[in-house]
Amino acid sequence: MKSTVKSKGAVSRICKTAAYAMPLVAAALPAYAAGTPTAWVSTETKAFLSPSQMRTFSAAPEAQVAPGQTAHVVVSLRVRNMKALEALGRAVNEHGNAQYGRFLTPEAFLARFAPTEEQVRQVVAHLRRSGFINIRVSKNRLLVSADGTAGTVKTAFNTPLVHFRKGDRTVFANSAPAEVPEALGGTVLSVLGLQNVTRAHTMAIKGPRSPAKPHATGTETGHYPLEFGSIYGASSLPAASATTVGVITIGGASQATQDLNQFTDANGLGRVTVAAVPTGDPNGDYGDDQEGQGEWDLDSQSIVGAAGGAVRQLIFYEADLAASGNTGLTQAFNQAVSDNTAKVVNVSLGWCETDAQADGTVAAEDQIFAAAVAQGQTFSVSSGDEGVYECNYRGYPDGRTYSLSWPASSPNVIAVGGTTLLTSGGKWANETVWNEGLDGNGKLWASTGGISAVEDRPSWQNTLSVSPKPTGRAVPDISFDAAQGSGALVYNYGEIQQIGGTSLSSPIFAGLWARLQTAHANSLGFPASSLYSAVKSTPSLVHDVTSGNNGYGSYGYKAAKGWDYPTGWGSFIMSNLASYLNRHPFGR
């Protein structure tokens, strides 16, 4: 998940040494326009900083958020029947069910599950009456975005925005839960964009090409993306030439497209058909983000390489760089699902799951991912690079206080952890848990895995034989190469860089899964439950990772036989998985 250049002393201690100043509440405004109801109901967006937190981090007060300061929100609307949507997702992916393979279409989603046009009209009217402008409704009616001010936020959602310091940044957050008038309580799920304290980050660790490092069981060395298919046993599979793959980016992908063209040209491959889709404000910032550029290069080149050198189309779903908080990513996920063009979607991004729950993102995006499952789409998500310490200090060891990354902890995605890959003669030799220990600043770099504090355990994890028994969603599901020393050799601004992290493991899986989709006419649905039952009954489908841990010192989780918290089931032997699929219909 690392977004900085691989200089292990380059990571700042901002998260660990953050100093907060006691915020001042924005100027008092009427809670609602005259003549309108004054009864308010809560949404899933909570106060991002509780009063006790603000007291704990109090210091000299700074300027209050002026009522006229600009604000951008994305309002998440409830699907009409979430339980029915989830049930449909199970049915269309369950072999033997009468609905197996009859995936939901965007048109059917609108008719059966989307908020009604009247519900949307009422929300839009409330936003406009409160003073918001530039109101836009997503085509599946799940998201409504709007521009306003701190004053209109207070009027519309009965919560002030406050300023305070976090390290060297001045940030803002809502100091009270976001509420809506009672008449909208059954429609509005959460209000996003009310904080920019915590933002999603990429999952890549990059640097110059590393020398080969011999181990007792093989060699740790960099790999060109086309090598991953043969290393993981996919040589007999067709290239993914019939399958469209999506990549979620923050900002634009023009440089990533140039670098991808250089990759295909250098390897004698046909150029990939690429589309770039801005997913938020039409007037937003979709320029290339130089800091994240290596990430999108890693994603696109590793996907195409693992996919056998071809995909039907690669779609970059571009989040607005200027979007408030993490609203740009929510809109990008929703665009990929409402388009329903990409059968596989890669996400090499994440952030603290409890923060994502507090600001309403978990509730909003779980609906989006549930729709993807019902449509037969598979989101492949990097589990994280912070070992067991995503939240408190983002990778700085914190004893037994373990935490996970979102959206990897959603039960509606495939969470992909990381290994250190060893090869011999270009073939797979061994894998251990990816764990590079602490860098020069004391931050841990390792495969993130553990037990979710915000998501329930899905039914397909009920039979896991692991200690401790997961009380919530267990992460990851599977793992592939993530160590920088055995990472991918990709073009970044025309130069070769060696990049690892779970930002590599996720696109490896995305590319390999796309090959299986092409081999089966894109009929394979969301595979989580099927993968668990298949590997449990047929352990030879995977390289079981049994050595290493994802913590520091005596903390963290250890790899073991079978499923474990650092690596899930391990990495797939694709030839064995392909044979299994030919013998066993693959559904939940």
Side-chain angles (χ1 to χ4, degrees):
M1 283 185 150
K2 211 186 223 181
S3 61
T4 53
V5 172
K6 159 111 170 175
S7 153
K8 291 197 174 180
V11 181
S12 73
R13 288 181 177 271
I14 289 176
C15 291
K16 196 168 187 177
T17 61
Y20 293 78
M22 176 65 77
L24 293 179
V25 175
L29 293 170
Y32 201 64
T36 59
T38 56
W40 297 88
V41 295
S42 295
T43 70
E44 292 296 323
T45 299
K46 312 306 179 187
F48 198 74
L49 290 182
S50 68
S52 62
Q53 286 176 312
M54 289 190 287
R55 285 193 298 270
T56 298
F57 298 112
S58 63
E62 296 194 7
Q64 64 183 13
V65 178
Q69 181 171 314
T70 59
H72 174 79
V73 300
V74 172
V75 181
S76 171
L77 308 189
R78 299 177 188 272
V79 298
R80 273 180 277 165
N81 193 329
M82 183 66 169
K83 288 185 178 180
L85 179 61
E86 291 172 329
L88 179 62
R90 291 189 293 271
V92 298
N93 291 289
E94 181 180 38
H95 185 75
N97 192 296
Q99 293 179 283
Y100 174 66
R102 298 172 62 182
F103 299 124
L104 186 69
T105 65
E107 294 76 17
F109 178 84
L110 280 173
R112 298 173 58 185
F113 299 107
T116 65
E117 292 181 351
E118 175 58 21
Q119 287 176 308
V120 172
R121 187 196 65 76
Q122 291 177 5
V123 171
V124 170
H126 173 63
L127 292 172
R128 185 173 292 117
R129 186 167 54 239
S130 300
F132 283 97
I133 61 173
N134 299 328
I135 301 170
R136 295 171 295 277
V137 180
S138 65
K139 63 182 179 182
N140 63 359
R141 301 200 289 265
L142 281 184
L143 303 177
V144 180
S145 62
D147 296 324
T149 65
T152 56
V153 166
K154 180 67 168 64
T155 300
F157 306 116
N158 201 33
T159 180
L161 298 181
V162 296
H163 267 159
F164 53 96
R165 292 288 297 174
K166 179 182 178 183
D168 59 356
R169 297 170 58 216
T170 298
V171 295
F172 67 87
N174 55 306
S175 59
E179 299 178 331
V180 292
E182 190 173 28
L184 298 180
T187 298
V188 174
L189 179 64
S190 61
V191 183
L192 311 181
L194 302 186
Q195 67 87 17
N196 69 345
V197 180
T198 307
R199 303 197 71 170
H201 52 89
T202 57
M203 313 281 201
I205 175 168
K206 55 192 176 183
R209 183 164 186 174
S210 303
K213 183 180 179 180
H215 295 256
T217 55
T219 301
E220 181 180 352
T221 187
H223 300 283
Y224 292 102
L226 280 169
E227 296 177 43
F228 290 117
S230 59
I231 289 171
Y232 286 112
S235 298
S236 62
L237 287 170
S241 54
T243 301
T244 295
V245 180
V247 176
I248 303 296
T249 71
I250 299 177
S254 60
Q255 183 62 46
T257 302
Q258 294 179 45
D259 290 335
L260 178 61
N261 288 339
Q262 186 173 1
F263 162 76
T264 54
D265 291 349
N267 287 278
L269 304 171
R271 288 198 170 182
V272 176
T273 300
V274 171
V277 180
T279 60
D281 186 341
N283 298 314
D285 183 356
Y286 300 101
D288 287 352
D289 176 21
Q290 189 168 2
E291 181 180 354
Q293 184 55 48
E295 178 63 65
W296 326 134
D297 288 330
L298 178 66
D299 290 349
S300 56
Q301 294 170 47
S302 297
I303 287 169
V304 173
V311 295
R312 180 178 183 180
Q313 185 181 32
L314 193 70
I315 303 176
F316 291 103
Y317 286 101
E318 301 172 337
D320 179 3
L321 271 168
S324 179
N326 293 293
T327 58
L329 281 180
T330 304
Q331 291 175 298
F333 297 154
N334 193 55
Q335 187 76 48
V337 174
S338 59
D339 284 354
N340 196 28
T341 302
K343 190 70 175 177
V344 185
V345 182
N346 184 76
V347 182
S348 294
L349 296 149
W351 56 306
C352 172
E353 66 164 3
T354 52
D355 286 346
Q357 182 191 45
D359 85 345
T361 295
V362 167
E365 292 179 356
D366 253 344
Q367 293 191 148
I368 296 169
F369 296 138
V373 169
Q375 292 177 174
Q377 293 176 289
T378 297
F379 274 75
S380 175
V381 181
S382 301
S383 75
D385 295 357
E386 281 70 49
V388 290
Y389 299 121
E390 166 63 38
C391 288
N392 285 6
Y393 305 123
R394 198 188 141 194
Y396 289 93
D398 191 23
R400 296 188 184 280
T401 305
Y402 300 166
S403 52
L404 291 182
S405 173
W406 176 266
S409 59
S410 171
N412 295 313
V413 307
I414 299 296
V416 188
T419 67
T420 296
L421 172 66
L422 305 182
T423 55
S424 178
K427 297 182 179 180
W428 186 95
N430 192 29
E431 281 175 287
T432 60
V433 177
W434 172 53
N435 188 332
E436 302 199 16
L438 306 185
D439 67 11
N441 285 323
K443 182 192 178 304
L444 177 67
W445 295 98
S447 175
T448 294
I451 304 169
S452 174
V454 306
E455 291 281 15
D456 293 336
R457 183 180 65 212
S459 60
W460 32 269
Q461 290 188 324
N462 285 342
T463 59
L464 285 178
S465 300
V466 62
S467 180
K469 184 80 171 179
T471 52
R473 161 72 156 125
V475 172
D477 300 306
I478 54 174
S479 292
F480 288 93
D481 183 25
Q484 198 270 338
S486 57
L489 299 165
V490 302
Y491 290 95
N492 183 12
Y493 285 97
E495 302 294 331
I496 290 287
Q497 279 195 317
Q498 188 165 323
I499 310 182
T502 55
S503 278
L504 169 60
S505 56
S506 180
I508 288 175
F509 172 69
L512 295 174
W513 186 247
R515 293 175 84 154
L516 283 175
Q517 287 285 8
T518 286
H520 291 267
N522 291 316
S523 64
L524 303 178
F526 178 68
S529 183
S530 296
L531 294 180
Y532 274 72
S533 60
V535 177
K536 187 172 183 179
S537 66
T538 313
S540 61
L541 297 180
V542 297
H543 300 294
D544 189 4
V545 180
T546 58
S547 63
N549 67 82
N550 68 342
Y552 180 72
S554 61
Y555 300 109
Y557 296 104
K558 294 181 180 180
K561 185 175 176 61
W563 190 97
D564 56 57
Y565 290 107
T567 63
W569 290 112
S571 64
F572 281 115
I573 304 170
M574 295 303 295
S575 56
N576 293 356
L577 182 59
S579 297
Y580 181 93
L581 280 170
N582 289 333
R583 300 192 310 271
H584 302 82
F586 208 48
R588 285 176 169 234

